[in-house]
Amino acid sequence: MTRIFMDNLALFLPMTLAGALLVSEVHCGSRLLRNSVRAVGAIVGMLMALLVVELLPVLI
């Protein structure tokens, strides 16, 4: 079972923004596709933040 503490949740917003900005450089033909790619990037960034938050105590 995962344990997420409130002080570690501050990492989620920057990682989500970083994921969205990273994939926003992908050239897309339509606005819908561009927004979809940004949303997927934000979700991937959030999942990476969750992975870091959960694995950091294991590494220490």
Side-chain angles (χ1 to χ4, degrees):
M1 187 166 137
T2 60
R3 294 173 48 192
I4 300 174
F5 300 104
M6 290 303 290
D7 56 342
N8 291 333
L9 292 179
L11 185 66
F12 281 105
L13 185 61
M15 290 290 284
T16 302
L17 289 174
L21 290 175
L22 182 69
V23 298
S24 67
E25 295 298 320
V26 175
H27 295 290
C28 300
S30 68
R31 181 177 287 181
L32 177 66
L33 183 60
R34 184 176 57 219
N35 289 337
S36 298
V37 167
R38 284 182 184 168
V40 168
I43 291 170
V44 169
M46 185 188 64
L47 291 175
M48 290 301 293
L50 181 65
L51 185 68
V52 168
V53 167
E54 291 297 322
L55 288 181
L56 194 58
V58 173
L59 297 175
I60 295 177

